[in-house]
Amino acid sequence: PVHEKHALSAEQSQQLLMILPEPVRTVAMVGILAGLRIGEILGLRWENVNFASRTLRIEHAVYRGVLGTPKTKGSRRTLPMPEALIRAMEGHSYRSEDRSGLVFATRTGKPYSDTNLLARVLRPAGVKIGAPWLSWHTLRRTHATLLSESGASPKDAQAQLGHAHISSTMDIYTQPTPQHQRDAVDRLSQLVTNGDELAIWKADVALATTQIQ
């Protein structure tokens, strides 16, 4: 069976960020605003964060508590940081005791456990906002979906997510939202009918009446 793939709406994303405690709030912001995998987020080092150029450089990833290299060659990438993320990362840097190691580290300097953070913090927060299915992967999917709604091209999304194949971006991560889908259909209708749906309806009625007679 194929599990249903979820993405947060913009409103749900705002609600989530309002109730999450630090540092999970900043971790979630990186997922939603930059589209990183949770392993890539936990593998970020301060040397990968460039406030001057407003970029994040993805060079490491944490898998089962071990720091290693990213998933694929395409996963090594440099991503822009929007203003909101820059402010969040700057605030997090002030709270960090060690700015030479991992961006998100425990008191002993080791990477956080994504499964522990999920069970103890993220999943309970998801329940509070009506998204009990919330996971780290949901944040990545949310990024791709909202990026699409913002008018970004599939190639932009592929670059953000670090996919080797664009089919992965389109088929797995980008989730259509009802309102966005309705808007697209409405635009298609405008192209076909030029906005004169009533005239077409009258023509259909007239044709049906003629056929009956």
Side-chain angles (χ1 to χ4, degrees):
V2 178
H3 295 288
E4 184 178 0
K5 299 180 179 66
H6 297 282
L8 297 173
S9 65
E11 293 75 14
Q12 287 176 313
S13 299
Q14 293 170 4
Q15 293 170 2
L16 178 66
L17 296 176
M18 287 178 62
I19 65 175
L20 283 176
E22 292 291 359
V24 182
R25 178 178 182 273
T26 302
V27 171
M29 284 193 72
V30 178
I32 294 173
L33 298 183
L36 273 64
R37 301 175 179 91
I38 184 58
E40 295 171 340
I41 298 175
L42 298 181
L44 279 174
R45 302 181 65 87
W46 282 116
E47 63 191 43
N48 305 136
V49 182
N50 192 323
F51 290 112
S53 63
R54 301 156 56 96
T55 58
L56 292 175
R57 177 63 186 166
I58 314 306
E59 294 182 338
H60 306 92
V62 171
Y63 180 67
R64 293 185 177 178
V66 178
L67 183 66
T69 56
K71 186 177 180 181
T72 64
K73 182 179 179 180
S75 297
R76 291 178 177 268
R77 60 204 188 280
T78 300
L79 303 177
M81 285 194 294
E83 188 62 36
L85 184 54
I86 292 175
R87 292 197 300 269
M89 293 293 279
E90 286 178 337
H92 180 64
S93 71
Y94 298 143
R95 295 186 296 270
S96 298
E97 298 179 2
D98 180 10
R99 300 187 192 179
S100 62
L102 293 171
V103 174
F104 302 104
T106 65
R107 293 180 179 178
T108 60
K110 295 181 179 180
Y112 278 105
S113 166
D114 61 301
T115 54
N116 286 345
L117 292 180
L118 174 64
R120 298 175 182 176
V121 184
L122 190 68
R123 188 63 58 77
V127 173
K128 290 182 180 179
I129 66 170
W133 31 259
L134 183 62
S135 69
W136 294 119
H137 215 54
T138 305
L139 305 183
R140 187 164 155 83
R141 240 180 253 126
T142 297
H143 173 79
T145 301
L146 297 182
L147 199 66
S148 174
E149 292 186 18
S150 299
S153 70
K155 292 295 290 184
D156 289 334
Q158 181 185 13
Q160 281 289 127
L161 297 168
H163 285 151
H165 304 288
I166 198 168
S167 58
S168 299
T169 307
M170 301 303 296
D171 297 340
I172 300 175
Y173 292 100
T174 304
Q175 302 299 305
T177 57
Q179 187 57 50
H180 187 242
Q181 190 172 352
R182 179 179 293 277
D183 291 344
V185 173
D186 285 343
R187 288 194 294 272
L188 186 150
S189 176
Q190 287 286 334
L191 289 174
V192 174
T193 67
N194 198 26
D196 197 3
E197 289 87 352
L198 180 60
I200 293 179
W201 177 78
K202 289 180 178 179
D204 287 342
V205 172
L207 178 61
T209 302
T210 302
Q211 290 175 341
I212 293 174
Q213 292 175 346

